[in-house]
Amino acid sequence: MHDPVHPGQHGSEGSDQRAAPRVNLLIRPAKLVAPCGEYLCVLRDASASGVKVRCFHPLPAQAMVLELGNGDRFEVERVWEQGDHAGLRFRGAVPVEYLIKESGPYPRRPVRLRLVLPALLVAGRDALHATVHDLSQQGARIECAEQLAINRQFRLEIAGLAPIIAKVRWRRPPAAGLVFEDTFRLEDFARLAFRLQPLPAPPGELDDSPFARRA
């Protein structure tokens, strides 16, 4: 087996010593946290030294943190990127069994992206100002100065996105939880996150840099 961080190393004694045993993971959503935002990815192969991920857009150039569904975080750095896959190296060794089981004190849950976005909640003639604080494929956590009725339906409007039909699922003023009428596919949600958090252009790069591309 060869390390997902060094996919070209195999067949020699030296490479076998450098490569960590690898396991093929089931499709496992996770997110990459960088200074410019939070981005969805899918874990594929893993070893004690790193992981191979499927990504849906170019990745940030900065060091990142890989966050699993149970909230555990690992510092990583990008080693290679080709097409819609990339190899990430852990800053410290991680037991492969831990990644497979994704064990920890907190249960796994759908990946939520923490961000701050101004939004409108529109229902009939009402248009209420709100702020989105996290977003998932199924819903969002918002803050709104108005008291929102449970199960009331709104049209959630965020600049640059098509309106989203949502209902109020819970409230703890000023916070409230919305559930979407139609959930996002993983791939669509990943590209949506990239549109909301575009990558900064590296200093001195030309406009045709892959980091300037949009999903």
Side-chain angles (χ1 to χ4, degrees), residues 155-173:
R155 188 172 70 247
L156 177 64
E157 297 187 355
I158 301 171
L161 301 183
I164 302 169
I165 304 302
K167 284 186 178 180
V168 179
R169 172 61 60 84
W170 58 265
R171 67 185 180 198
R172 289 191 286 273

Side-chain angles (χ1 to χ4, degrees), residues 78-95:
R78 189 186 60 187
V79 177
W80 59 269
E81 186 173 355
Q82 184 174 5
D84 59 354
H85 288 85
L88 308 176
R89 178 190 295 125
F90 292 127
R91 292 285 180 94
V94 176

Side-chain angles (χ1 to χ4, degrees), residues 88-108:
L88 308 176
R89 178 190 295 125
F90 292 127
R91 292 285 180 94
V94 176
V96 177
E97 297 79 7
Y98 189 90
L99 292 172
I100 296 172
K101 295 178 181 178
E102 203 168 317
S103 57
Y106 305 107
R108 288 169 54 188

Side-chain angles (χ1 to χ4, degrees), residues 132-162:
V132 176
H133 285 278
D134 73 39
L135 199 62
S136 74
Q137 292 173 255
Q138 296 85 16
R141 179 174 64 87
I142 65 167
E143 286 192 358
C144 181
E146 304 290 334
Q147 181 86 339
L148 303 178
I150 298 294
N151 290 327
R152 187 178 184 188
Q153 183 171 286
F154 289 95
R155 188 172 70 247
L156 177 64
E157 297 187 355
I158 301 171
L161 301 183

Side-chain angles (χ1 to χ4, degrees), residues 21-143:
R22 181 188 71 176
V23 295
N24 293 322
L25 296 175
L26 297 176
I27 294 176
R28 184 82 56 81
K31 69 178 177 181
L32 292 166
V33 182
C36 55
E38 300 191 348
Y39 306 95
L40 207 65
C41 68
V42 177
L43 303 184
R44 302 307 294 266
D45 298 348
S47 75
S49 62
V51 292
K52 177 183 177 182
V53 300
R54 184 188 176 197
C55 40
F56 303 89
H57 48 71
L59 293 181
Q62 310 104 321
M64 296 171 283
V65 171
L66 174 68
E67 184 173 313
L68 304 182
N70 65 357
D72 285 334
R73 304 179 121 207
F74 306 96
E75 292 186 6
V76 294
E77 56 187 355
R78 189 186 60 187
V79 177
W80 59 269
E81 186 173 355
Q82 184 174 5
D84 59 354
H85 288 85
L88 308 176
R89 178 190 295 125
F90 292 127
R91 292 285 180 94
V94 176
V96 177
E97 297 79 7
Y98 189 90
L99 292 172
I100 296 172
K101 295 178 181 178
E102 203 168 317
S103 57
Y106 305 107
R108 288 169 54 188
R109 65 176 187 172
V111 177
R112 292 181 173 272
L113 302 178
R114 290 182 288 267
L115 40 86
V116 178
L117 298 170
L120 282 178
L121 297 173
V122 180
R125 295 184 178 180
D126 294 336
L128 309 178
H129 290 275
T131 302
V132 176
H133 285 278
D134 73 39
L135 199 62
S136 74
Q137 292 173 255
Q138 296 85 16
R141 179 174 64 87
I142 65 167
E143 286 192 358

